[in-house]
Amino acid sequence: MSYRKFRADHIFTGTEILDGSNVLITDENGIIEKIVPAEEAGDNIQQFHGLLSPGLINCHCHLELSHMKGLIPEKTGLVDFVFKVVTERHFSEDEILDAIATVEDEMLSNGIVAVGDICNNTLTLPQKLKQRLAYYNFIEVSGWLPQIALTRFERSKGFYDAFANSQLSTFNSQLSLVPHAPYSVSDELWKYMQPYFAGKTVSIHNQETAFEDELFLSNSGDLVRMYEMMKIDHSHFEASGKGSLQSYFDKLSAAKNIILVHNTFTKEEDVAFVNRESSIVNQNVFFCICINANLYIENVIPPIDMLMKNNCKMVLGTDSLASNYGLNLLDEMKSIIKHFPNVGLQNLLQWATINGAEVLQMNDQLGSFEQGKKPGVILLENLNDLQITPKTKVKVVY
Ligand SMILES: [Zn+2]
C-alpha cells in the first residue's frame, strides 16, 4: 500500500483549523488514513502554501438551469425573476445538456465534491450517470391550483422513479420529493408528497421575498400579482394570519433533515418557532445561505448574524446560473465576509464541508478528514492571516 502525504500552512479538518506542524495522510485512492505530527509522517511529503480542506459541498443548485446564464436581468425582485424562468423556453435540448456538462466541470474545478440539486425534469440525469460528483437529487413539486395537484404530483413522481430506477450508484442516488416554495404548493399537493418525506432530506425555498410573509399574513402583495400575471386562479387560498414559515413548517415534520433555502426575510421569531418544533420531532434543520443569488435577484442580504446568534446550523449554496455569475462556494464565502466580516474562516468552512455532508446524508464519506472517508482534498491559496481575501483561490489537490 502506498500513501500520499500532504502538508501546508494549515489543515482544516472539517471541524477545526490545525497549524502547519501536521501532515494529512491518505491512501493512493484518497481515502483518509490519519493526521499525524510531521516528525511521525516519514518522507515523500507534498508541501503546499495555504490551507488544506476537505472538498466543498454545494447544498442548493439547479443544474438544469445552467443554460440561463446572464439571461435574466439583475435586481428585478423574485416575482419577475420566477416569471422569466418559467417563460424562457426557447432552448434546444443539446444546448441545455452542453451547459449542464460545462457547469459540472466548473463546480469540480472550484473544489465542489457534492451537490444538493433541484430537479424539475430528467435532463441532468445523463451527466449524473458519469458519477463525477455526488448528488442529492431533490425532485421538485409545484402547483398552486388544488385541482391540478394529482397531475402535478404524478409528473414529479415520474421523474423521481426515473432517477430511482437509473444506474446511479448507491452513493450517488440520494433522492427525495421536495416542495418548491410555500407559495407554489397547494395543501392538496402537500398531502400527496408527505408520505415520501420519512427518513429523507427535504429542501424548500423559504422566505426569499418579503411578499411571501405578506401572502400568508394578509393574502396580498406581489405574489398575488404573480398569480394574476401567470393567470393562476388564486381564490382557494386563505391567509393563516401567521408568517410563511410558521404557516407551513409542520407539514415537514416527517422529514429527517430540512434545508430551508435563502431565508432572506426570516425573523428571529421564525427561528425560535423552528427550533422548538424541530426538537419535538427530533429533526435537523439547516439554513442554506445563497447570498450571491439574493444579491442578484432582490439585492438583499440574508440575516446571517441573527441566524448565528440563534445557533442555527448553516450550509452554503450557489443557486443556479439563472441568478448567479458562477457556481463557486468560495465566491459565496467572499460575499458573506464582505457583509459580515466577523463570521470567521472556521465557521464558513464548517458550513461548506461537514454541515453540508451531514444534511445531504453523505457524512460517512465526505465533509471531514476522518479515517475511512474520501472527502477530496482542496487547497485555499492567498489567505491573509487565516482570512479570505478577494485574491483567495481554490486549487483541487486530490
Ligand atoms: Zn433555488
Side-chain angles (χ1 to χ4, degrees):
M1 170 76 73
S2 65
Y3 294 104
R4 299 193 59 175
K5 301 170 185 176
F6 308 96
R7 186 177 185 183
D9 306 326
H10 294 93
I11 297 177
F12 172 68
T13 62
T15 49
E16 60 177 333
I17 296 174
L18 307 177
D19 67 30
S21 66
N22 299 283
V23 174
L24 170 70
I25 303 180
T26 75
D27 74 6
E28 58 204 333
N29 298 313
I31 296 171
I32 305 298
E33 290 281 334
K34 54 192 165 184
I35 295 173
V36 297
E39 55 272 20
E40 295 169 24
D43 48 15
N44 292 327
I45 299 169
Q46 279 179 275
Q47 183 80 42
F48 298 93
H49 193 43
L51 175 142
L52 294 167
S53 165
L56 306 177
I57 297 177
N58 180 3
C59 285
H60 185 68
C61 182
H62 304 242
L63 194 56
E64 67 197 18
L65 300 180
S66 296
H67 58 287
M68 298 187 84
K69 188 174 186 177
L71 201 68
I72 302 180
E74 290 176 57
K75 305 179 181 44
T76 58
L78 184 72
V79 164
D80 292 276
F81 177 83
V82 169
F83 185 71
K84 268 289 223 185
V85 169
V86 298
T87 50
E88 289 280 356
R89 291 218 169 120
H90 53 274
F91 293 90
S92 72
E93 191 167 320
D94 280 350
E95 282 175 286
I96 296 173
L97 296 179
D98 282 352
I100 288 168
T102 306
V103 166
E104 191 185 66
D105 279 344
E106 185 185 321
M107 284 201 280
L108 279 162
S109 61
N110 290 334
I112 291 169
V113 293
V115 181
D117 192 43
I118 304 284
C119 309
N120 284 278
N121 52 54
T122 55
L123 285 168
T124 57
L125 189 50
Q127 189 65 31
K128 287 168 177 167
L129 283 167
K130 295 177 185 168
Q131 322 262 20
R132 301 161 80 218
L133 276 169
Y135 287 95
Y136 202 120
N137 294 298
F138 297 122
I139 310 300
E140 194 162 76
V141 185
S142 66
W144 191 235
L145 276 178
Q147 55 268 39
I148 61 166
L150 182 58
T151 321
R152 297 304 286 266
F153 172 76
E154 283 175 344
R155 190 178 72 169
S156 296
K157 181 64 169 47
F159 299 142
Y160 180 94
D161 292 340
F163 274 85
N165 298 327
S166 70
Q167 300 299 311
L168 290 168
S169 68
T170 328
F171 175 55
N172 205 14
S173 61
Q174 300 273 27
L175 192 59
S176 63
L177 278 170
V178 306
H180 164 254
Y183 57 81
S184 63
V185 178
S186 64
D187 285 347
E188 288 73 7
L189 191 46
W190 274 102
K191 284 187 195 120
Y192 286 117
M193 303 176 64
Q194 281 168 319
Y196 292 85
F197 290 165
K200 299 284 190 177
T201 297
V202 176
S203 97
I204 181 165
H205 294 88
N206 177 62
Q207 292 170 307
E208 190 177 357
T209 166
F211 298 114
E212 193 175 301
D213 277 340
E214 194 181 347
L215 177 73
F216 283 88
L217 283 165
S218 60
N219 197 3
S220 59
D222 227 21
L223 284 166
V224 175
R225 176 174 73 87
M226 182 183 79
Y227 302 131
E228 284 160 9
M229 221 158 70
M230 293 183 178
K231 302 195 178 9
I232 296 170
D233 176 16
H234 171 65
S235 58
H236 63 92
F237 180 74
E238 280 175 44
S240 65
K242 297 182 286 185
S244 161
L245 185 54
Q246 296 190 42
S247 300
Y248 77 81
F249 186 72
D250 288 349
K251 294 187 166 84
L252 293 165
S253 62
K256 182 170 192 286
N257 300 315
I258 295 171
I259 307 181
L260 299 175
V261 182
H262 292 304
N263 314 303
T264 342
F265 294 90
T266 302
K267 299 180 181 66
E268 203 152 15
E269 69 207 45
D270 297 325
V271 170
F273 177 86
V274 161
N275 286 345
R276 209 166 47 237
E277 296 297 307
S278 60
S279 68
I280 295 169
V281 290
N282 199 19
Q283 68 187 167
N284 302 307
V285 179
F286 290 76
F287 292 80
C288 183
I289 305 297
C290 308
I291 189 168
N292 284 344
N294 302 147
L295 289 166
Y296 191 112
I297 298 174
E298 294 251 347
N299 198 23
V300 285
I301 49 170
I304 293 174
D305 44 357
M306 183 277 284
L307 296 170
M308 287 182 75
K309 191 180 114 202
N310 286 282
N311 296 317
C312 296
K313 287 190 171 185
M314 317 271 271
V315 292
L316 299 182
T318 59
D319 217 341
S320 76
L321 279 186
S323 62
N324 207 338
Y325 306 101
L327 302 191
N328 186 340
L329 288 179
L330 179 61
D331 286 344
E332 301 295 320
M333 293 185 211
K334 286 178 182 176
S335 289
I336 292 172
I337 294 279
K338 196 170 146 195
H339 296 279
F340 303 94
N342 297 323
V343 168
L345 181 63
Q346 184 167 299
N347 282 325
L348 286 171
L349 288 174
Q350 281 176 6
W351 303 351
T353 59
I354 191 78
N355 285 10
E358 192 187 334
V359 78
L360 296 187
Q361 303 187 20
M362 298 175 181
N363 208 6
D364 56 339
Q365 285 286 314
L366 302 179
S368 67
F369 291 145
E370 289 171 270
Q371 190 174 37
K373 289 190 180 184
K374 190 181 176 181
V377 183
I378 64 164
L379 180 73
L380 291 188
E381 296 177 301
N382 302 336
L383 292 169
N384 179 14
D385 218 4
L386 280 181
Q387 295 293 328
I388 289 173
T389 76
K391 286 187 176 156
T392 303
K393 284 192 300 189
V394 170
K395 188 168 144 185
V396 177
V397 172
Y398 195 93

